[in-house]
């Protein structure tokens, strides 16, 4: 046919490579030969003993060996067929753009489904690839600075939602000179941690009041820089060489803690969460900022299934986007970032058509996204306050819902991490407009 006759030699070779090995006459699909390599590459980072702990999102089973995996064969087929696993919530439109994308190819999905359909056979042990030596402990390797609370904090029995800011003074030993943060990784100290945001402040900055940073005010953030955050499903943050978030000798770091649990006798817990940093003392070419696009003044009507809220920012300097992180609470059902360029064109930057509160993902660009001055970026959220969604997720749909800290209120924060294209331009951080 027309399309085929125009196929180039290179195209024909690529097509051959894409055919799964079992279809090319290599015998039946087996665990050792076909399945284990897929699990190693796409699943074991989470599905193993001591796998990724993303604020309590810990994969409940290990897929390191045949014995461990076999009982889950049917569940694996189901999870990969509907693309629930590996977890990735951005739409096809941005396939291959983000560094931390975790998706399977159609050929890989097909291999897993065929393996399960044909009896989930083990195969010849000699076919198995070498086991991956997963490092335990910090994903970043050996941190340069490790910070914990001055003393453990007790989250009382009667607490359900609590915002508590805990400030740590940086000692001479921890930070002998001004530096720039390039890697940041949290370890929640208990399972009542819902999220953590870390802010660095220069010496002499007044301590931040509890929950102040969640009120959408720019005042509380004055003079501070956000280092990063942890919420269920977030990954550790790494910046490329040439980029860094400034942190000052003699300054402080505040852990803005959000604790969340059911209140009740015996539910109290001690927490002491930890923050690990990779730093450089050599000034990078560009400083990095983290801030949001938000609207804030919204009210979602009771029982409304599709209430849209949007905020926008217009940038007057050339910008580089490093990551995007949409943040809503229980009722958020979809999020979208769109760039409207000065030449009149527009581009979808990120769309999460089925936003999942349990997976607060940050989307890290493989290459910084260049945003020319004059671009307006719009951040939209759709909330589902319907009875049906309430039954599924667990909230009260009869309430009108506004912006607020507790998970039973809502947020509409379009976080983004950025640097200026011209290193001489100032990194300005305010909480949206
Ligand atoms: C980023 C971490 C991560 C990766 C990568 C990942 N998983 Fe999971 N997986 C989880 C977590 C966490 C759960 C627990 C379910 C939840 O709370 O959403 C889970 C649950 C599951 C379940 C159980 C679903 C159910 O029916 O309850 C299956 C099956 C599964 N994963 C298979 C896979 C397979 C196969 C891969 C690779 C192709 C994979 N996962 C990759 C984190 C991960």
């Amino acid at each position: 046919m027309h399309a085929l006759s125009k196929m180039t030699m290179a195209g024909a070779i690529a097509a051959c490579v894409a055919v799964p090995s079992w279809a090319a006459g290599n015998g039946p699909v087996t665990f050792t030969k076909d399945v284990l390599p897929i699990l190693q590459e796409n699943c074991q980072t989470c599905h193993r003993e001591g796998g990724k702990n993303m604020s309590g999102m810990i994969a409940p089973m290990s897929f390191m060996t045949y014995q461990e995996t076999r009982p889950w064969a049917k569940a694996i087929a189901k999870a990969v067929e509907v693309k629930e696993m590996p977890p990735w919530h951005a739409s096809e439109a941005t396939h291959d753009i983000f560094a931390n994308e975790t998706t399977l190819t159609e050929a890989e999905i097909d291999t897993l489904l065929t393996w399960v359909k044909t009896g989930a056979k083990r195969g010849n042990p000699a076919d198995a690839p070498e086991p991956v030596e997963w490092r335990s402990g910090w994903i970043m390797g050996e941190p340069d600075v490790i910070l914990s609370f001055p003393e453990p904090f007790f989250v009382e029995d009667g607490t359900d939602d609590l915002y508590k800011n805990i400030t740590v003074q940086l000692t001479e030993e921890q930070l002998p000179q001004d530096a720039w943060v390039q890697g940041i990784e949290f370890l929640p100290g208990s399972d009542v941690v819902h999220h953590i945001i870390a802010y660095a402040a220069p010496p002499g900055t007044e301590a931040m009041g509890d929950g102040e940073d969640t009120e959408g005010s720019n005042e509380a953030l004055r003079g501070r820089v956000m280092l990063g955050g942890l919420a269920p499903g977030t990954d550790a943050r790494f910046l490329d060489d040439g980029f860094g978030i400034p942190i000052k000798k003699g300054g402080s770091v505040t852990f803005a803690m959000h604790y969340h649990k059911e209140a009740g006798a015996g539910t109290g817990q001690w927490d002491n969460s930890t923050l690990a940093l990779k730093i450089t003392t050599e000034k990078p070419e560009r400083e990095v900022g983290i801030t949001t696009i938000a609207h804030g003044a919204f009210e979602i009507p009771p029982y409304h299934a599709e209430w849209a809220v949007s905020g926008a920012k217009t940038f007057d300097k050339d910008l580089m986007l490093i990551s995007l992180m949409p943040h809503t609470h229980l009722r958020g059902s979809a999020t979208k970032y769109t760039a409207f360029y000065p030449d009149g064109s527009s581009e979808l930057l990120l769309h999460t058509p089925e936003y999942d509160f349990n997976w607060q993902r940050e989307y890290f660009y493989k290459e910084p996204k260049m945003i020319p001055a004059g671009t307006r970026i719009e951040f939209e959220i759709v909330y589902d306050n319907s009875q049906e969604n309430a039954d599924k997720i667990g909230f009260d749909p009869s309430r009108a819902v506004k912006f607020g800290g507790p998970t039973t209120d809502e947020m509409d924060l379009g976080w983004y991490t950025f640097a200026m294209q011209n290193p001489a331009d100032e990194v300005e951080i305010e909480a949206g407009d």
Side-chain angles (χ1 to χ4, degrees), residues 23-82:
N26 287 352
V29 181
T30 69
F31 181 81
T32 50
K33 176 164 58 67
D34 308 289
V35 171
L36 189 53
I38 298 175
L39 301 182
Q40 286 184 339
E41 181 132 332
N42 301 283
C43 318
Q44 287 182 357
T45 165
C46 300
H47 287 274
R48 69 188 153 93
E49 197 64 46
K52 250 193 207 175
N53 177 344
M54 300 179 293
S55 191
M57 288 302 271
I58 304 172
M61 61 291 216
S62 170
F63 297 150
M64 292 292 286
T65 63
Y66 181 71
Q67 284 80 356
E68 286 173 340
T69 311
R70 178 65 185 85
W72 292 97
K74 286 220 165 73
I76 289 172
K78 198 169 140 218
V80 300
E81 190 168 23
V82 300

Side-chain angles (χ1 to χ4, degrees), residues 114-190:
T114 306
W115 175 64
V116 175
K117 259 188 262 158
T118 54
K121 299 271 175 7
R122 175 177 188 150
N124 181 353
D127 290 340
E130 287 291 309
V132 176
E133 300 242 348
W134 293 101
R135 199 181 35 227
S136 55
W138 300 106
I139 295 167
M140 65 170 57
E142 201 50 48
D144 297 313
V145 182
I146 296 183
L147 300 172
S148 295
F149 300 172
E151 54 194 37
F153 177 74
F154 191 69
V155 184
E156 303 281 348
D157 285 7
T159 298
D160 46 16
D161 268 303
L162 174 70
Y163 283 86
K164 177 78 195 162
N165 288 345
I166 296 175
T167 296
V168 184
Q169 287 300 327
L170 294 166
T171 63
E172 175 86 35
E173 199 184 329
Q174 284 163 333
L175 199 73
Q177 62 185 106
D178 290 353
W180 288 265
V181 174
Q182 294 193 302
I184 173 160
E185 193 175 343
F186 292 90
L187 186 65
S190 66

